[in-house]
Amino acid sequence: MLYKQESGWKQLKSEERQQIIDFCEPYKAFLNEAKTEREFVIASQKQAEKRGFVDAMSKDELKPGDKVFFNLRDKNLVLAVIGSKDLAEGANFVVSHVDSPRLDLKQKPLYEDSEFALFKTHYYGGVKKYQWASRPLALHGVVMLKSGVKVNITIGEDENDPVFVIPDLLPHLDAKVQRERKASEVLKGSEMHVLVGSIPCEITDEDIKDSVKYNALQKLNEKYDMTEEDFISAEFELVPAAKARDIGFDRGLIGAYGHDDRICAWTSVQSILDMDHTPEHTAICFLVDKEEIGSTGSTGLQSRYIEHFMQELASRIPSSKNDFHAVRRCFWNSKALSSDVNAGVNPLFKQVHDSQNASKLGYGLVLTKYTGARGKAGSSDADAEFVSELRTLFDKHDVKWQTGMLGEVDEGGGGTVAMFLAHYGIRTIDAGAALLSMHSPMEIASKFDVHEIYRAYKAFYA
Ligand code: MN
Ligand code: MN
């Protein structure tokens, strides 16, 4: 009669606990390797190619069991295993995003002040700005040189690399300038400038006014052949330079940058790579970009890329290639897990949650029927029938799952990509992991949940 839940760790013996802890090591390594959407897409594609996935565009015809990928501008990756049923009967999508909050460089970022060289930034996504000061940052990105050559740059990840930092104000002198500011303005967006140099150049030329800035540019030019103008055609992201770490005496948690949403992206990729049979319905793992700023742009889910790659699939499958409505029918018959993270109960700030309905770390996959704010606005709100199907599926596969919501009613809220999938008629629900300190430079996830959402996605694809 009563619905009771307990931590997933509880029933596990020590070997099972250890298996879960071991399972998370490659996840931690991947987080360290892939800190931007481009890096995540490229590294995932490499893994998929090793496991037999081939570029869909290189195939003329696809048959059940075939494993293919689509890469959109190195910012979206689609992994598909063709099912035995007609495409029009629907596909099973697991959709997650691979962009995370960070600091992007402005187009003309470099300047000199007080004999320091600094970068100006524009934050990307929802960040608590003060969290980004006084911590080591690494620079990741690509620059298109004037010559048209594309250069990849990563500085700050190797322990011998330099890092970059926003210099905060000392407590001795912050009384008038900073102490009375609201939390959102402790560090203002326009103050998120990053130290990148302090030594003047050796050249003594009257024309060089900012010799520290000039020296920094010289270093970039020597190593990457880059000029100041090239920043205009670059995408540079500053991300926390720290590596993923175990948290706690028992090592049950992982503290890392970018769990949102790479915890779902990594598990959805691994579970489709590990698929060892031909599914009935085509299984699709879809990694998208730009979720953190509203799924905008040609690589965000609001673009119509999903129609494009589904059409490319349909036109290669004999049973659907002459069916003009195959893709549209497929969408209406499809199911999707919008796999994104939710806010787990934080012991220091329990008041923002309804403890009865909030998700908890270590309790497995979080099924979030609806997100949104102010009366479910912006939510896709899954129907009872679909929730029932998933409930039955996960129980059948002994997957530990829980319900969740993003905070108590009117406490705030947020959205995911769910509504952009539901837009096509795809039955969609949010399903991912619970996190603490979401959107901070060190987000916290439970290792139990990493393992369990992997199992959940595997069951869903199958
Ligand atoms: Mn997310
Ligand atoms: Mn987010």
Side-chain angles (χ1 to χ4, degrees):
M1 291 284 276
L2 289 172
Y3 177 52
K4 265 200 192 150
Q5 284 176 297
E6 56 180 15
S7 162
W9 291 109
K10 216 164 175 182
Q11 287 148 4
L12 301 180
K13 304 215 168 52
S14 64
E15 316 91 78
E16 294 169 306
R17 292 178 176 198
Q18 191 56 46
Q19 274 169 13
I20 288 173
I21 287 172
D22 294 344
F23 177 82
C24 292
E25 286 304 307
Y27 171 53
K28 284 161 57 192
F30 205 85
L31 284 177
N32 297 337
E33 188 190 335
K35 290 194 176 181
T36 69
E37 59 280 13
R38 282 179 195 267
E39 290 166 358
F40 201 98
V41 162
I42 291 167
S44 300
Q45 182 181 317
K46 268 191 200 145
Q47 277 199 342
E49 284 175 298
K50 272 192 201 150
R51 304 286 290 272
F53 283 72
V54 299
D55 189 343
M57 303 307 282
S58 71
K59 303 268 280 185
D60 294 330
E61 194 172 298
L62 295 172
K63 56 179 194 312
D66 280 355
K67 298 180 171 187
V68 292
F69 69 83
F70 294 89
N71 173 321
L72 172 65
R73 299 172 189 147
D74 287 344
K75 292 186 175 190
N76 280 198
L77 185 70
V78 180
L79 303 175
V81 181
I82 309 302
S84 54
K85 290 192 169 183
D86 286 354
L87 194 63
E89 290 191 50
N92 291 328
F93 289 88
V94 179
V95 185
S96 48
H97 67 93
V98 290
D99 59 319
S100 294
R102 62 189 190 236
L103 307 182
D104 287 345
L105 295 197
K106 286 186 179 175
Q107 288 215 283
K108 292 192 274 182
L110 189 59
Y111 75 103
E112 178 170 333
D113 193 342
S114 314
E115 291 170 70
F116 290 109
L118 298 111
F119 275 155
K120 296 182 174 191
T121 69
H122 197 141
Y123 62 98
Y124 173 98
V127 296
K128 293 172 87 166
K129 298 169 201 120
Y130 67 83
Q131 293 179 333
W132 294 74
S134 303
R135 72 161 52 235
L137 300 171
L139 186 70
H140 291 235
V142 296
V143 52
M144 297 299 300
L145 303 180
K146 195 157 195 173
S147 60
V149 171
K150 186 180 187 173
V151 182
N152 287 295
I153 297 179
T154 305
I155 306 169
E157 295 297 344
D158 188 283
E159 60 183 277
N160 297 314
D161 281 354
V163 293
F164 309 94
V165 69
I166 298 173
D168 202 358
L169 188 55
L170 64 170
H172 317 66
L173 294 178
D174 76 349
K176 287 185 191 164
V177 175
Q178 200 179 33
R179 210 174 297 166
E180 302 305 321
R181 291 182 180 182
K182 292 190 297 179
S184 60
E185 291 182 350
V186 171
L187 182 72
K188 295 180 183 174
S190 57
E191 292 166 342
M192 299 179 94
H193 294 186
V194 180
L195 281 178
V196 300
S198 60
I199 301 177
C201 63
E202 287 176 42
I203 312 164
T204 44
D205 184 333
E206 286 290 303
D207 290 343
I208 302 173
K209 297 245 160 33
D210 297 329
S211 72
V212 179
K213 168 182 166 177
Y214 191 88
N215 197 38
L217 271 176
Q218 264 190 326
K219 301 284 173 209
L220 281 172
N221 187 263
E222 281 162 21
K223 191 142 188 215
Y224 306 106
D225 210 17
M226 192 181 159
T227 67
E228 187 176 18
E229 195 183 338
D230 292 329
F231 278 108
I232 292 170
S233 53
E235 283 180 10
F236 280 122
E237 305 179 11
L238 284 155
V239 298
K243 291 199 179 343
R245 300 293 295 264
D246 291 343
I247 293 181
F249 297 118
D250 55 18
R251 297 181 178 265
L253 304 170
I254 304 168
Y257 166 69
H259 282 311
D260 177 7
D261 184 26
R262 293 167 192 153
I263 189 170
C264 297
W266 185 81
T267 45
S268 67
V269 169
Q270 300 311 311
S271 53
I272 202 165
L273 296 187
D274 288 346
M275 188 181 276
D276 52 9
H277 65 286
T278 300
E280 285 187 8
H281 294 272
T282 295
I284 298 176
C285 166
F286 186 13
L287 308 182
V288 297
D289 178 31
K290 296 283 186 283
E291 190 278 341
E292 296 294 358
I293 58 168
S295 298
T296 51
S298 69
T299 55
L301 198 57
Q302 290 204 68
S303 84
R304 297 168 80 171
Y305 183 58
I306 191 170
E307 294 173 37
H308 175 75
F309 76 73
M310 288 302 285
Q311 194 58 54
E312 295 288 359
L313 268 189
S315 67
R316 285 167 170 75
I317 299 172
S319 63
S320 58
K321 77 178 191 198
N322 297 316
D323 179 358
F324 181 69
H325 294 296
V327 170
R328 200 169 294 182
R329 277 202 206 102
C330 176
F331 283 141
W332 282 94
N333 290 325
S334 288
K335 294 164 197 167
L337 299 183
S338 157
S339 45
D340 206 346
V341 295
N342 202 327
V345 173
N346 181 328
L348 308 186
F349 299 101
K350 284 183 290 203
Q351 64 270 34
V352 303
H353 300 286
D354 163 14
S355 61
Q356 184 172 320
N357 282 288
S359 56
K360 291 179 184 155
L361 271 67
Y363 279 61
L365 178 80
V366 187
L367 281 182
T368 306
K369 187 174 181 298
Y370 52 85
T371 55
R374 299 171 307 282
K376 295 189 176 181
S379 163
S380 73
D381 208 352
D383 54 55
E385 291 85 346
F386 186 40
V387 178
S388 162
E389 246 182 70
L390 292 173
R391 197 182 144 189
T392 308
L393 174 80
F394 294 137
D395 285 347
K396 190 179 135 200
H397 287 86
D398 197 28
V399 169
K400 189 153 178 70
W401 61 275
Q402 57 180 328
T403 58
M405 62 187 286
L406 194 57
E408 176 57 293
V409 179
D410 286 344
E411 202 54 63
T416 63
V417 298
M419 62 173 154
F420 308 120
L421 296 164
H423 173 77
Y424 287 100
I426 304 174
R427 285 187 297 159
T428 307
I429 190 168
D430 282 298
L435 298 184
L436 298 188
S437 306
M438 194 197 295
H439 282 207
S440 79
M442 187 183 251
E443 301 180 313
I444 300 163
S446 162
K447 290 185 182 178
F448 178 84
D449 299 336
V450 177
H451 183 250
E452 210 59 10
I453 63 176
Y454 161 83
R455 294 183 63 237
Y457 297 157
K458 216 172 172 186
F460 178 76
Y461 285 133

